[in-house]
Amino acid sequence: MSTTDTPARSRAPWWFNLAGQLLEPWVRIRRDPAEPATLLQAGVPVCYVIERDGFSDGLILERACREAGLPSPMQPLSGTRRKRSVFALARRDGWLFGRNRKRSPNEPLGQLVRSLEGDPERDIQIVPVSIYVGRAPTRESGWFSVLFSENWVVVGRFRRMLALLLNGRDTVVHFSTPVSLRTVVNEAGEIRPERLTRKIARVLRTHFRRIRAAVIGPDLSHRRTVVDAVLNAEPVRSAIAATAAKENISQAKAWRRAHDMVMEIAADYSHPVVRSASFLLSNFWNKLYDGIAMHHFEKARAAAPGHEVVYVPCHRSHTDYLLLSYQLHMSGVVVPHIAAGVNLNLPVIGSILRRGGAFFLRRSFKGNALYSVVFNEYVAQLIDRGVPMEYFIEGGRSRTGRLLAPRAGMLVMTVRAFLRAPRRPVLFQPVYIGYEKLMEGKSYIGELSGKPKEKESLIGLLRGLKVLRQRYGHVALNFGEPIELNPLLDAASPDWRAAIDDPEAKPEWLGRVVDDLADRIQININRAADVNPINLLALALLATPKHAMAENDLLSQLELTKALLEELPYSDRMTLTSMDPAGIIAYGEQMGWIRRVRHPLGDVLVTEDEQAVLLSYFRNNVLHLTATAAWVACCFLNNRRMTRASVLRLGRIIYPFIQGELFLPWDKDGFCVQLQATIDFFVRRGLLEATGDGRVLERGPGQDDAAFQLKIIARSLIQAFERYYITIAALVKNGPHTISAGELENACTLTAQRLSLLNELSAPEFFDKALFRGFIQKLRESRIVWTDDAGKLDYDHALDDMVRDARVILSREVRHSILKITGGGEGEKEADKPVPADASSEALHERHVATEHHMHAHAEVTPVAEDATADPADRQG
């Protein structure tokens, strides 16, 4: 039979069919893809190719084809002399103790090629089929089953029989895309048939190795081969010689030092350990979590073939390592090698992690040139061998719930390793990991409050086992838009391939590429955010002074936030809980995050003080999703009326700072488009009223429900503006050429800590030094602030105006509190001189050159000077 419309009846001998019936109860087949018939072209004969010859593989293939409605591999191949429509790349000579022969495919391939010679219209579809028995034992599997699961070793018939008995219910049959033999022959041109068959066989072997590596991982069974390759590499040998000369030690002693370093670093990947760990973790996750969801994984899987894949997830918890690797393994994808801090190389635990694919790095390479060279070479060897990797570019776990500023060390190593040997294009796969409760939550609060970080130890790990008594809700792993390295290199330098000639060269464009890559990774992680019920509760409740809301108000706020995210989705990879507002509240109570206070006039939902601090972590996970709405709402915190143009122009001015803090994806123009859409949403919902052909926006009075909802949205971002004001006020108070960037960071941190104590803020990140450092860096990048020759900060006098103009966003009480601590009271007195109610921002900046009349007579003062291209409606009179 030559068509794929209906399967042909098997013409196998009776004993083959009998064996198939005996094997059937022991084998359960999962086809990949589920409907392989869609891959085939109707009316064209099909010939299957399997990797290794085996009686059981033939039985499994025949059954998989029958169940999928494909032509039987046991029927004669139409138009040829072959009695079967299948052949193997490696055949076993002899029945019991034969060896595998790899020349055997030349004979059947030669027959197929010759069968096409007489008829130029004839074709044959060659379908590579990979068969894996026991690739991923389930939690119901026994430990003994793990020993007989699929790996790279070619096993004998007895071991194959045991594998079928123990793991046959976990059998995967992977059908690859068919290859048109006619197309291959036509493209080969005048190549002799013998050479063509050898070439096809070689390509098929490579294909099967690639599929096996993607399913069960690369063949890294010999750690010593990687270690030897590192030590024999030219950069490492040169570094060993340089160390010996510099420290006046023997070459042998320097070599032993390098050997110890690479042994400290290198993973010792073991397939049985990975499978055993997956067996253990299944029970572990069931004790901890109510479910683990993966979104957009199939998109990530489809993008991976042919690439060196580097997984770059956000880093929230120590369980990040295990969760991602476990889910990849259970989904049929190879477990990546993971860069882990050497602090995790604990007795017993370190050995298990190493065999699970972890390789260890020290926190700092500074002052140790030999270690730096050895580690770089190890990373280069992994990339050269096509080993998928995983690392966290934040450098450590986020204690605040925000993405941290990237540390580009591993990215630099990866890019340079690729430039040295660009055999396989590199693809970075961002992953967002979202929790509903964290094991480390309380320790994070302690660290942010000034307590020293507790050092990892085996005793500490054993003490931490008490976390197994709690439930931690659901976890989401969202796969973001992948980032290919080659287009970034092409954009930075079209002739980047010339850098390959000198592996030690550091092109001047390398830094730009790495910085761009790091930003794109963080942006794409944020674009793949998962919004769970706890995130939504945190956004609402933490915006109230006492962290409490009437139930009706909370229901309305949750509905509003969900509607905002549904109507104006942040990206197509963002996911949002399907729970309704009532379900979200019930779930929050069930998880212990909120408490219901009964009252005759209506129940109140409240979160206690410590819980409120912990909730700030989950609010910060999704702050970026509501940043646009929060900015619009902030403009109406202290103002009833404002022009649309003013909101947009001031948004353009403030955007670089919130973009840098929250890794937002738009440029200034794109942000303004988002602002327009958000304003329109608020108008549709009745939170704002548009007058004057939509040019003037007005909110209701302070007691109005709409004004209350706007205030809740605004307060998610207001602390960022308070931090900005603290920084600017402290710098202006000290004056130019008097304080360094580091001293300013410390002054701002102390000011924020004191303000937090005075106002009982439940947000430890408010005085996070890293956030102040990021804002100061953005000021420097914008040339508003710069460093003089003495290392002190100088600034443009426009900074004084920024202090005065902050009144639109920040209330007088907040400004006075900050200036009282920083000692900048005189500047506030000047700023609080009466300003005409009709002064526009341009008028303020130009010292009241123009005023607004008519419908704009009561427009509020905007905080920063607007540009000269103001809307004419803002400049009447």
Side-chain angles (χ1 to χ4, degrees), residues 265 273 622:
I265 294 166
V273 168
V622 296

Side-chain angles (χ1 to χ4, degrees), residues 47 50 69 82 85 108 124 179 321 379 516 541-542 565 644 791 862:
C47 184
I50 56 178
R82 293 195 56 78
S85 297
I124 296 174
V179 177
Y321 304 96
V379 171
D516 185 24
L541 287 171
L542 296 186
L565 295 174
R644 184 187 289 254
T862 47

Side-chain angles (χ1 to χ4, degrees), residues 419-433:
L419 291 175
R420 194 178 83 175
R423 294 185 179 87
R424 187 181 292 103
V426 177
L427 180 141
F428 294 89
Q429 178 58 65
V431 183
Y432 176 94
I433 304 177

Side-chain angles (χ1 to χ4, degrees), residues 125-188:
Q125 299 179 85
I126 298 179
V127 181
V129 182
S130 305
I131 300 171
Y132 305 109
V133 176
R135 185 224 157 263
T138 63
R139 63 187 179 91
E140 289 82 12
S141 306
W143 286 95
F144 200 59
S145 302
V146 172
L147 300 177
F148 294 94
S149 54
E150 196 73 46
N151 55 42
W152 284 86
V153 178
V154 179
V155 299
R157 288 185 171 88
F158 178 71
R159 179 158 177 161
R160 188 65 164 181
M161 182 182 71
L162 287 178
L164 285 166
L165 294 177
L166 293 169
N167 293 322
R169 291 182 175 274
D170 247 333
T171 299
V172 176
V173 179
H174 178 86
F175 291 87
S176 297
T177 303
V179 177
S180 166
L181 187 59
R182 168 60 62 189
T183 301
V184 173
V185 170
N186 291 344
E187 291 177 351

